[in-house]
Amino acid sequence: MKTPALLKIHLKPEHSFSVRHDVLPYFYNKWHHHPEIELIYILKGIGRQFIGNHVHHFKAGDMILLGPHLPHLWKSDDCYMEKGSTLKMESIVVHFLPECLGADFFKLPENSLLADLLFVKANRAVRIKDETKEEVALLLEQLLKSNGTKRIWLLLNILDIIANSTQTKPVSEKDIAFDFSPDETNRINTIYQYILKNFHHEIPLEKIAKVAHMTPTAFCRYFKSRLKKTFSLFLIEVRIGHAAKLLAETSKSVAEICFESGYNNFSNFNRHFKAIIGKTPMQHRKYYQEVKLSRYHAEAFHERGEES
């Protein structure tokens, strides 16, 4: 497995930052980083995202701001990767270096909130929600079509809205300093990819330690020192995240989902699910069923209003 690629963001000669509307079979699925700050708005697609030490499922409607050199990958669900698949992933992505706005721009007292957003909060990644997300989404659509000075104005407007919003949430619990030496990044990459491929099954400590070319004791110390959480907790988060997705999106029984998520013990599954999600599996499913029903009624009401 290669080290996280230092991705090169290409710019047009007339532009100081990049904004793209991507329509792809699947997202770039290699662990990578870049000096540019990234704002991504997912329009279509589902999958699993790794941001630093955090793993979560992504879906259409997600909007996230990532700080410079924060390693990440977006692994599209298997249905997008299958041969002959006609499914598409779609997103609007902005990449920019803070220097494109001027070397001393963020030192101005008026820009203290912007500086805090880009140089502090973005290091943990920022999830943008609710009305703030909707407002930013409209501006991103304009940004795609704009030229000249208006591009700069729109970018600043977007960042100002996010910086002043209370409808944001950090993705990671804490900042994590990553070492990008080849040996270090190759090892973390290998561990991540192995967990993604095998979390459905039992992963003995001896096996994952062997994958990392370490003894079990050394691996436990290494993983916690680098990822700021134990391997066992990280594996639980991956499994419960997968289970939560299946409960929300499928009609499979809780027992089926329990075993498909790598659990052989139903009581452990329920206990871990409640600890991570804050609800029992059935409460989680009921919540999403109510959300879907509420959206259905809202859309039906809107359509009746248009017809009248």
Side-chain angles (χ1 to χ4, degrees):
M1 195 70 193
K2 293 182 180 179
T3 61
L6 177 61
L7 202 65
K8 175 67 175 176
I9 307 300
H10 297 284
L11 293 176
K12 294 180 179 179
E14 67 273 21
H15 291 163
S16 60
F17 66 92
S18 166
V19 56
R20 307 189 314 267
H21 181 187
D22 288 340
V23 180
L24 304 163
Y26 50 85
F27 288 152
Y28 185 69
N29 60 356
K30 305 298 183 188
W31 203 51
H32 65 281
H33 67 102
H34 39 71
E36 292 84 359
I37 293 168
E38 176 176 322
L39 175 63
I40 181 167
Y41 179 39
I42 298 171
L43 302 173
K44 290 182 182 178
I46 53 175
R48 194 182 300 257
Q49 66 186 24
F50 277 72
I51 300 176
N53 74 336
H54 184 271
V55 59
H56 190 79
H57 281 88
F58 69 79
K59 62 186 183 305
D62 284 1
M63 183 181 289
I64 297 177
L65 181 74
L66 299 104
H69 291 298
L70 181 59
H72 54 282
L73 70 83
W74 313 92
K75 186 182 184 301
S76 306
D77 274 5
D78 290 343
C79 56
Y80 293 88
M81 313 287 284
E82 292 171 356
K83 187 176 181 180
S85 173
T86 58
L87 295 172
K88 296 292 183 183
M89 312 289 289
E90 187 173 351
S91 64
I92 298 175
V93 188
V94 179
H95 288 108
F96 67 95
L97 291 167
E99 302 89 85
C100 78
L101 297 169
D104 296 324
F105 181 79
F106 293 100
K107 295 178 182 178
L108 299 174
E110 292 86 351
N111 293 329
S112 60
L113 282 178
L114 286 181
D116 184 60
L117 172 68
L118 300 181
F119 304 121
V120 180
K121 292 179 179 178
N123 290 332
R124 297 165 63 185
V126 177
R127 189 177 301 280
I128 301 147
K129 307 181 295 179
D130 303 329
E131 290 85 359
T132 299
K133 179 180 72 176
E134 294 173 10
E135 191 175 358
V136 170
L138 291 173
L139 293 175
L140 286 173
E141 292 284 354
Q142 294 181 43
L143 184 56
L144 282 168
K145 304 169 187 174
S146 297
N147 290 299
T149 304
K150 189 174 182 182
R151 295 179 88 248
I152 303 293
W153 179 85
L154 285 167
L155 177 62
L156 282 173
N157 199 1
I158 287 168
L159 297 177
D160 184 60
I161 289 168
I162 298 171
N164 284 279
S165 176
T166 58
Q167 297 171 332
T168 62
K169 183 180 179 181
V171 171
S172 297
E173 296 145 7
K174 57 186 76 173
D175 291 357
I176 298 179
F178 282 89
D179 178 356
F180 292 109
S181 66
D183 288 344
E184 182 86 2
T185 50
N186 185 52
R187 181 174 284 161
I188 293 174
N189 226 330
T190 302
I191 293 167
Y192 272 13
Q193 295 294 340
Y194 185 86
I195 293 171
L196 267 178
K197 187 177 180 180
N198 295 282
F199 72 89
H200 313 82
H201 313 292
E202 183 182 0
I203 303 180
L205 181 58
E206 292 76 13
K207 178 60 179 176
I208 190 67
K210 187 176 180 181
V211 167
H213 303 290
M214 305 174 85
T215 66
T217 302
F219 173 80
C220 289
R221 285 199 303 266
Y222 172 82
F223 194 93
K224 189 170 183 179
S225 69
R226 299 305 190 274
L227 279 299
K228 308 305 178 188
K229 62 180 67 173
T230 64
F231 166 70
S232 59
L233 175 58
F234 189 76
L235 182 57
I236 287 170
E237 290 176 347
V238 172
R239 288 173 168 167
I240 295 303
H242 180 72
K245 179 176 183 289
L246 293 181
L247 284 162
E249 297 176 1
T250 75
S251 58
K252 292 181 178 181
S253 71
V254 175
E256 283 182 282
I257 291 170
C258 166
F259 294 118
E260 191 174 322
S261 301
Y263 282 89
N264 295 319
N265 185 303
F266 198 65
S267 61
N268 278 346
F269 172 71
N270 281 326
R271 180 166 52 86
H272 290 162
F273 196 97
K274 182 74 180 289
I276 299 295
I277 304 297
K279 300 181 179 75
T280 67
M282 288 307 298
Q283 287 171 338
H284 179 76
R285 170 164 277 171
K286 184 180 178 183
Y287 169 78
Y288 275 94
Q289 287 173 340
E290 290 173 350
V291 167
K292 288 177 184 177
L293 187 61
S294 175
R295 286 176 180 169
Y296 171 78
H297 287 314
E299 289 171 1
F301 178 80
H302 181 69
E303 288 175 3
R304 286 198 300 271
E306 287 185 341
E307 288 172 0
S308 61

